[in-house]
Amino acid sequence: MKNILHFRAAFLLFVSLFAFGSSAQAQEFKTQGKGKGALVYKSQYKECITGELTGLAQCVDMTQETYVVTPSGNETSVWKGTAPAALRPAKTLVKDATWQEAGKTYTTHSTTTPSGEVSVTLHYKANGKGGKGKG
């Protein structure tokens, strides 16, 4: 029961953060599946992801493909999009960074290919292990 309440609180916080963003659009969450206690949601949420996370000169319109929350409170969010031709790198661009939001520090990993495919993964470790945790 404690894990369910923890998950609901984390989930509602995450949804509310994006629901009130300047580029927020309606969301559709569907339970995708369970694996080792983690809940996986498929999303159609869109956001202009900042160049601070992608390494590109400006934000890129991206769609949140997956959002996962584990019973321990760890969160993973995967975003996909296509960079405009003017922003595409000559060779694959990889950027690792951190992102702080709502008192949490997320580790991020972004890849942009010469064809323009952009992928950004944000991860939050609720237990504080691994160097990047509660912020």
Side-chain angles (χ1 to χ4, degrees):
M1 183 68 175
K2 183 178 177 183
N3 287 338
I4 292 172
L5 292 176
H6 189 261
F7 165 77
R8 285 184 182 168
F11 178 73
L12 289 174
L13 176 63
F14 187 81
V15 170
S16 67
L17 291 173
F18 286 107
F20 295 108
S22 61
S23 303
Q25 297 180 6
Q27 298 182 36
E28 290 183 28
F29 287 100
K30 298 178 183 173
T31 301
Q32 188 69 21
K34 295 181 181 181
K36 296 185 180 179
L39 295 178
V40 180
Y41 290 88
K42 187 72 174 169
S43 173
Q44 296 299 313
Y45 183 74
K46 296 182 186 284
E47 186 74 41
C48 197
I49 301 297
T50 178
E52 293 175 24
L53 297 179
T54 63
L56 299 173
Q58 67 188 51
C59 70
V60 175
D61 289 326
M62 300 181 77
T63 301
Q64 184 183 44
E65 299 279 320
T66 311
Y67 173 63
V68 179
V69 177
T70 65
S72 64
N74 292 345
E75 303 171 24
T76 301
S77 180
V78 179
W79 297 77
K80 304 273 182 177
T82 304
L87 295 178
R88 295 177 184 176
K91 60 181 184 174
T92 299
L93 172 65
V94 176
K95 179 164 175 73
D96 292 313
T98 57
W99 181 257
Q100 292 190 347
E101 186 172 294
K104 295 180 181 178
T105 300
Y106 295 83
T107 58
T108 69
H109 179 79
S110 173
T111 304
T112 306
T113 66
S115 66
E117 294 176 34
V118 184
S119 173
V120 176
T121 301
L122 291 94
H123 185 70
Y124 169 72
K125 282 188 145 307
N127 61 13
K129 293 181 180 177
K132 306 286 188 223
K134 293 181 181 179

